[in-house]
Amino acid sequence: MARSIPYDNILEILAKLPLKSVVRFRCVSKYCNSSVITPWFVKSHNTHFPIKPIGLLITCSSRLQSGQMFFYADYNGGSAVPLLTIPPRFSRYTTQSLNGLLCLDFGICAQICNPSTRQVFTLPIVAPVSSPSASSTYFCVNSFGFDPVTKKHKVLNSWKVPGKDPEYRVFTLGTDESWRLVNGGPCYYPQRESICIGGIIYFRCWTNWNRSSRAVLVAFDVGKETFQVIQIPVDIAFQDLNEASLIDFGGNPAIVSYDRLDDNEDSSSIVWRVDDSFWPRIGLAMLSDHLHELQDEEGQLYFVACSIHTTGELVLASRSVSNQYFSVLYYDVVENVIRRVEISGLPDYSRQFNDFSCIDTVTVSNYEENILSFA
């Protein structure tokens, strides 16, 4: 008579299988699904398959901005692989991938997405839609962070209504059921960008509601839930999100900007990196041919940037998906070498749908697989 395999032994075997196989197992039953999202299983699986970048994660809008599409692409280019599409609308802003998770910002509400498991967790709204403040959400921004000490993911909501004091709230995933107010935040206007490095969320803020005002860098300690303001060099303090990108560069927050060289028509990419509140300036020579890949149809630089943690390469890509092939530039800072790859399979809105409202909606970050779930 055949003996059945103990269920604990099955879970131990599953913990040694790739994430794609585990995702299939979750579809067997509700019990199977609940078994592979327990803290024990997640920790065991991550021991065998440590979370690390394996390619590019590209997000863009679906037709008429009716949803958000996620694609995986190999670092060396080729055809993009569709992961999932989240309806019913496109987010105002999507964070960089953090342990394989992303935060989709909708102002007074937000979603946490795990492209690996195709799961989405919706957070409670920050304030009722009927609230007077809900009519002024332009400076209501959600950022995403991780505390390496407690192993907790948190979402920081920064909300500044002109003429009123700012409000900062925190939601701890897996613990909180509602948002918590935190004190000590600066009286500034948050921009829709953020990165998390070593348990610190960094994001730029305008010092005034007028976007021509100077920007500063705000650092939020995810564990201690405290704030620090870091001054930005005047050369880049007045640039908006279309002219400069905040990235993780070599384990430090950095701002990627551009300057036009005086002696010829070539341009240079400039990386300003924060190091103990000091901003070393790193000049990276780039030819005009390279920058042409990052321009919109009117010839203006309109780009997104990130870096590959394993190689230290700087990644530059256009926000536009209006061409048949999506170009990505990799800049090796040490060797001063640029390589270009092409990615196919992304939607070509201008040709397929004649829909120009979705062209400039691309974000690029590292793709990391993680079994973690909050659903």
Side-chain angles (χ1 to χ4, degrees), residues 36 49-50 78 103 290 307:
V36 298
F49 298 92
C103 178
H290 294 137
S307 64

Side-chain angles (χ1 to χ4, degrees), residues 315-334:
V315 182
L316 300 171
S318 171
R319 293 181 188 269
S320 173
V321 288
S322 58
N323 298 315
Q324 183 178 3
Y325 293 99
F326 182 71
S327 298
V328 177
L329 301 178
Y330 297 92
Y331 200 122
D332 188 318
V333 179
V334 177

